[in-house]
Amino acid sequence: MSVTAAQGFRASGVTAGLKPSGRPDVAVVVNDGPQHAAAGVFTTNRVAAAPVRLSRAALADGRAAAVVLNSGGANAATGAAGLEDARRTVEHTAAALSVDPADVVVCSTGLIGERLAMPLLLEGVSAAAGSLSADGGGDAAVAIMTTDTVPKQALATGEGHVIGGMAKGAGMLAPGLATMLCVLTTDALLPSAVLDAALREAVRTTFDRADSDGCMSTNDTVVLLSSGASGATPDPGEFTELLRGVCADLARQLIGDAEGASHEIAIRVVGASTEAAAEAVARAVSRSNLFKAAVFGQDPNWGRVISAVGTVPEALAPFDADALDVSFNGVQVCRASGVGEDRSLVDLGAREVRVEIDLHAGSAEAIVWTNDLTHDYVHENSAYST
Amino acid sequence: MSVTAAQGFRASGVTAGLKPSGRPDVAVVVNDGPQHAAAGVFTTNRVAAAPVRLSRAALADGRAAAVVLNSGGANAATGAAGLEDARRTVEHTAAALSVDPADVVVCSTGLIGERLAMPLLLEGVSAAAGSLSADGGGDAAVAIMTTDTVPKQALATGEGHVIGGMAKGAGMLAPGLATMLCVLTTDALLPSAVLDAALREAVRTTFDRADSDGCMSTNDTVVLLSSGASGATPDPGEFTELLRGVCADLARQLIGDAEGASHEIAIRVVGASTEAAAEAVARAVSRSNLFKAAVFGQDPNWGRVISAVGTVPEALAPFDADALDVSFNGVQVCRASGVGEDRSLVDLGAREVRVEIDLHAGSAEAIVWTNDLTHDYVHENSAYST
């Protein structure tokens, strides 16, 4: 149920003092091999944080021996000095673990625009390197939390191998990766090219479709490490599906713990001409503040849904604007773009809300997960600098 | 200061009973000529309301003699029956005013997905037609309000002619027109082709850059009527600038009265390669809920600004992600994508906030206006169905 569930991995989480709260803030995950294959997916934000720039380069050769992560500071928008800080963190980690600095991935999360407290961080890395254990995954998952209220971990078991993972992220959740850090580990014996393809496909339909508040972060990183320690070499397709399951589980946990949210909303678009069309429509709805505020108010406001659907360009998603059906939790409140079943039949009291939109334009579909827009979201994000 | 400021126009506003509040809800604006040239701009939302569909057709020939508007119901997502309701409204108005139904523009605003109370509306149209006056512009401006707290009117005086206008809109404010109805009148003697070009250009840089909450409506309509009663034929370029001033004034009033907002935010992007690039960047920032919530909390959070800037694709807006400057109310809190002046120097206590972003990639610029994300916004839009 963690990054140490797969054979060949150790992890730890310690308190370095980067967070004013005094909570754990430095984690290390080590791949003890025998192989050190790896793959990564990063934010597409052009204002990428220093650790993202270094880690992208480190993973270019498909190898990684360790991941060092800190909360309590994003090391983003910190210029050349921030890049140097990230480099020092990598070198310090490599020395403590006796691995090549080129094989260390670094991740940071927290406030943008502030330098990291380097002496504290490096001491923390030393402490984390000294307390690595084969059951340290849980500690690591706690140490990467920011405004998360619970740690997020997942596990899936394949034939003779397992995939484990941890993730953090509670605000600035959007596609092109939700704002999040995620480390996935497996003891399957697969080359980095297979890991890379599996990771991209798994992320595409999971993390990339968790769109809590439409805001894309500077630090998003998903890393997959393979130790090969099980000796099992699964079929790439089966491995991809297993990995997708772990990513979906973690993405769902992120949406479930999104800052200030009172509802988790699955927007499923069916009857689309292509999957891309379905995704575009679902994403447009997921970004409508009016729709999100309505769900907070437990109002099955289908007018706001079809207003959002109507903003998607025809070139992206062909459909007849007079033929849209919308249901909330199974009640079809909108039929053929007009009034359908009685909206009072819809109960939005439960935390999970299912909105389904039928475009009647094909057979493709996609689901985007989002959250409602609440007083707590405004409160957390007006009172808390990130 | 209203739609009746220009010679050749009469207007009225009455209470038909469409609104539960009992406030005025039907307005009529009549062009008494001598000419009846007109132009219109409409929502690009594919789920266009019935009145938008009819009015688009009515204005295709560049002629209009009257506009009939109602609040208390959007007549959107009402299917064939809603289209028939809009048609009956047009015919009833035409008969009451003795004009051709093909020359009547119809606008509705209010709840989506509900039929209009036609007997009340038609009675209201009769009453409005019977109370038209050359100083009825103020009454008309009141009758088109929904959640607006104040009526919006504007006036500009050119050489020998004037342009007056009224608008409504307080939520669902976004580009491709803010959610709004706007009627503009002029006594300048200009052909409809000139009116059309002037209106499109004026709207492009005013209403289309008021992006309160990113949500595009189904009913947005801006109509310009010319009576030619002044006999003056201004230079088209000068007329366009005068019209732009009236539209900018009204757009500013809309942002100033946006639902639940406590700040009006001008996001000015300079140093862009093209105006389109500047607009794309400004709009990305205007749609960041994290940025908007930070302004509500009076937090000059430049990290959230550059995070939003970084989401704009390079093909749309080329810039060096390490060279961004950001200032809040003149204090340059971010320099070269890193820490700049002390953020404590920024005072966001006043209602108007100026954010300037320098891309250092050219000399083009654009301003997009938006609002902050507040508890009142969430409250109004979770408790009130629109």
Side-chain angles (χ1 to χ4, degrees), chain B residues 12 63 68 82 106 112 182 186 198 220 274 317 330 335 354 376:
Chain B
S12 60
R63 272 182 59 87
V68 57
V106 56
I112 295 175
C182 174
T186 182
D220 307 317
T274 61
R335 274 191 196 132
R354 287 170 297 113
D376 286 349

Side-chain angles (χ1 to χ4, degrees), chain A residues 203-239:
Chain A
V203 166
R204 186 179 74 79
T205 54
T206 56
F207 294 122
D208 274 355
R209 295 201 182 150
D211 195 335
S212 174
D213 67 359
C215 295
M216 187 199 288
S217 156
T218 50
N219 289 54
D220 306 317
T221 302
V222 182
V223 184
L224 170 61
L225 306 174
S226 157
S227 69
S230 72
T233 297
D235 168 74
E238 285 170 25
F239 180 80

Side-chain angles (χ1 to χ4, degrees), chain A residues 44-48 53 76-79 112-114 171-172 213-218 259 287-294 296-299 301-304 306-315 317-322 324 336-339 343 373-386, chain B residues 44-48 53 76-79 112-114 171-172 213-218 259 287-294 296-299 301-304 306-315 317-322 324 336-339 343 373-386:
Chain A
T44 56
N45 197 310
R46 291 161 68 188
V47 183
R53 299 181 195 200
T78 44
I112 296 175
E114 293 191 2
M172 237 195 202
D213 67 359
C215 295
M216 187 199 288
S217 156
T218 50
E259 279 175 0
R287 295 205 171 167
S288 164
N289 279 350
L290 288 174
F291 161 72
K292 288 152 69 87
F296 170 55
Q298 302 190 21
D299 170 16
N301 197 315
W302 59 268
R304 292 179 183 177
I306 66 169
S307 296
V309 172
T311 64
V312 178
E314 182 148 22
F319 57 78
D320 174 357
D322 287 326
L324 307 170
S337 300
V339 178
R343 57 201 284 161
L373 179 59
T374 68
H375 287 296
D376 286 349
Y377 178 89
V378 173
H379 176 72
E380 285 202 39
N381 289 300
S382 57
Y384 169 75
S385 270
T386 42
Chain B
T44 55
N45 198 310
R46 291 161 69 188
V47 183
R53 299 181 195 200
T78 43
I112 295 175
E114 293 190 2
M172 241 195 200
D213 67 0
C215 295
M216 187 201 288
S217 156
T218 50
E259 278 174 2
R287 295 203 172 168
S288 164
N289 279 350
L290 289 174
F291 160 74
K292 290 154 67 86
F296 170 55
Q298 303 191 18
D299 170 15
N301 197 316
W302 59 268
R304 293 178 182 177
I306 66 170
S307 296
V309 172
T311 64
V312 179
E314 182 147 21
F319 58 79
D320 174 358
D322 287 325
L324 307 171
S337 300
V339 178
R343 57 202 280 161
L373 179 59
T374 69
H375 287 296
D376 286 349
Y377 177 88
V378 174
H379 175 71
E380 286 202 40
N381 289 300
S382 57
Y384 169 75
S385 270
T386 42

Side-chain angles (χ1 to χ4, degrees), chain B residues 207-229:
Chain B
F207 293 122
D208 274 353
R209 294 199 183 152
D211 195 337
S212 175
D213 67 0
C215 295
M216 187 201 288
S217 156
T218 50
N219 288 56
D220 307 317
T221 302
V222 182
V223 185
L224 170 60
L225 306 173
S226 158
S227 68

Side-chain angles (χ1 to χ4, degrees), chain A:
Chain A
M1 190 66 182
S2 77
V3 289
T4 46
Q7 297 174 61
F9 292 94
R10 287 176 299 148
S12 59
V14 301
T15 300
L18 303 173
K19 284 177 177 168
S21 66
R23 297 212 175 125
D25 46 20
V26 172
V28 170
V29 179
V30 178
N31 178 357
D32 289 322
Q35 80 163 13
H36 298 92
V41 180
F42 300 91
T43 182
T44 56
N45 197 310
R46 291 161 68 188
V47 183
V52 166
R53 299 181 195 200
L54 283 194
S55 296
R56 216 178 248 145
L59 283 169
D61 63 357
R63 270 182 59 88
V67 184
V68 57
L69 313 94
N70 76 273
S71 51
N75 195 9
T78 44
L83 209 57
E84 187 51 34
D85 290 343
R87 204 168 275 132
R88 284 176 62 205
T89 307
V90 163
E91 280 163 10
H92 192 86
T93 306
L97 301 174
S98 302
V99 301
D100 186 337
D103 288 339
V104 175
V105 173
V106 57
C107 305
S108 298
T109 177
L111 277 170
I112 296 175
E114 293 191 2
R115 294 277 301 277
L116 294 169
M118 287 305 292
L120 294 176
L121 174 55
L122 298 185
E123 267 185 65
V125 169
S126 299
S131 58
L132 289 163
S133 79
D135 58 1
D139 291 343
V142 168
I144 60 173
M145 291 164 63
T146 54
T147 54
D148 304 70
T149 64
V150 289
K152 284 96 178 173
Q153 300 184 86
L155 177 68
T157 305
E159 282 183 31
H161 69 282
V162 303
I163 305 174
M166 67 177 184
K168 66 77 50 180
M172 237 195 202
L173 283 170
L177 300 187
T179 286
M180 46 161 301
L181 303 180
C182 174
V183 179
L184 301 157
T185 54
T186 182
D187 45 20
L189 185 65
L190 290 167
S192 62
V194 171
L195 298 178
D196 187 70
L199 185 62
R200 282 175 200 286
E201 173 57 23
V203 166
R204 186 179 74 79
T205 54
T206 56
F207 294 122
D208 274 355
R209 295 201 182 150
D211 195 335
S212 174
D213 67 359
C215 295
M216 187 199 288
S217 156
T218 50
N219 289 54
D220 306 317
T221 302
V222 182
V223 184
L224 170 61
L225 306 174
S226 157
S227 69
S230 72
T233 297
D235 168 74
E238 285 170 25
F239 180 80
T240 299
E241 288 316 305
L242 204 65
L243 187 65
R244 195 198 305 276
V246 173
C247 290
D249 186 346
L250 290 170
R252 193 71 187 67
Q253 291 182 51
L254 293 175
I255 287 287
D257 194 29
E259 279 175 0
S262 69
H263 289 86
E264 297 144 39
I265 311 167
I267 302 166
R268 179 168 180 236
V269 173
V270 303
S273 55
T274 62
E275 186 182 345
E279 184 187 345
V281 169
R283 197 173 303 287
V285 176
S286 80
R287 295 205 171 167
S288 164
N289 279 350
L290 288 174
F291 161 72
K292 288 152 69 87
V295 172
F296 170 55
Q298 302 190 21
D299 170 16
N301 197 315
W302 59 268
R304 292 179 183 177
V305 173
I306 66 169
S307 296
V309 172
T311 64
V312 178
E314 182 148 22
L316 211 55
F319 57 78
D320 174 357
D322 287 326
L324 307 170
D325 295 336
V326 180
S327 69
F328 278 76
N329 287 347
V331 181
Q332 200 176 67
V333 287
C334 169
R335 272 192 197 133
S337 300
V339 178
E341 288 184 84
D342 187 349
R343 57 201 284 161
S344 70
L345 297 173
V346 180
D347 179 1
L348 299 182
R351 197 171 163 90
E352 185 170 324
V353 171
R354 288 171 295 114
V355 176
E356 185 167 309
I357 302 154
D358 193 337
L359 301 179
H360 294 289
S363 57
E365 59 175 86
I367 296 178
V368 168
W369 281 89
T370 190
N371 294 106
D372 53 350
L373 179 59
T374 68
H375 287 296
D376 286 349
Y377 178 89
V378 173
H379 176 72
E380 285 202 39
N381 289 300
S382 57
Y384 169 75
S385 270
T386 42

